[in-house]
């Protein structure tokens, strides 16, 4: 039940940030493709740019949105920044959705493929 003047997508129990931030990040097909690429391996922005027909500044903006949503993390290695997938927010969203459906946490965790848990 929403209280008067309470934002619709405020910080939810069990979710690390407002769900609208995560959903907004997932709404764009380029960002979803970046996540798929980072699922395969960690990459630099240059490596990511080579996979798309868009500019490096555009990819950097997409990466900033994904990072703000905690869907990726970055690590500096010398002069390079390496981007990698962070699945914890997605796992928490899955658990939250399953909770809404009345499913138990144990069932939800056991059904998340091991290779995606990081």
């Amino acid at each position: 039940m929403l209280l008067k003047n309470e934002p619709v997508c405020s910080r939810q129990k069990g979710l690390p940030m407002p769900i609208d931030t995560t959903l907004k990040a997932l709404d764009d097909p380029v960002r979803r493709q970046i996540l798929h690429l980072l699922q395969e391996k960690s990459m630099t922005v240059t490596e990511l740019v080579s996979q798309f027909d868009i500019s490096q500044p555009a990819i950097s903006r997409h990466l900033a949105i994904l990072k703000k949503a905690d869907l990726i993390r970055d690590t500096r290695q010398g002069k390079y920044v390496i981007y990698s997938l962070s699945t914890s927010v997605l796992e928490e969203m899955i658990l939250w959705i399953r909770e809404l459906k009345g499913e138990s946490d144990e069932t939800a965790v056991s059904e998340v493929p091991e290779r995606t848990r990081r």
Side-chain angles (χ1 to χ4, degrees):
M1 176 178 182
L2 288 176
L3 302 174
K4 191 173 185 178
N5 298 324
E6 182 180 353
V8 173
C9 292
S10 63
R11 187 172 294 247
Q12 302 288 334
K13 177 186 173 196
L15 291 177
M17 66 175 44
I19 195 169
D20 57 335
T21 303
T22 304
L23 294 175
K24 178 183 175 188
L26 294 172
D27 186 46
D28 187 277
V30 171
R31 291 193 285 272
R32 290 192 304 269
Q33 185 60 37
I34 289 171
L35 293 176
H36 281 289
L37 290 168
L38 294 178
Q39 182 184 22
E40 304 277 324
K41 68 175 189 166
S42 298
M43 303 173 86
T44 65
V45 70
T46 305
E47 291 172 314
L48 287 165
V49 167
S50 71
Q51 302 294 314
F52 296 92
D53 192 26
I54 57 177
S55 69
Q56 186 273 328
I59 292 291
S60 292
R61 282 191 298 276
H62 286 298
L63 290 170
I65 292 168
L66 290 168
K67 186 176 175 188
K68 180 180 178 186
D70 290 332
L71 293 168
I72 64 170
R73 59 183 169 270
D74 60 355
T75 310
R76 182 164 290 282
Q77 292 183 359
K79 66 178 184 173
Y80 299 101
V81 176
I82 310 297
Y83 293 93
S84 57
L85 185 63
S86 176
T87 59
S88 59
V89 170
L90 294 174
E91 290 171 3
E92 289 178 21
M93 283 187 65
I94 290 168
L95 292 173
W96 179 71
I97 290 168
R98 290 185 183 241
E99 183 181 292
L100 288 175
K101 290 175 62 179
E103 297 176 12
S104 69
D105 288 351
E106 294 79 29
T107 303
V109 171
S110 68
E111 292 179 9
V112 175
E114 183 64 35
R115 68 182 176 87
T116 63
R117 288 189 229 157
R118 296 183 186 174

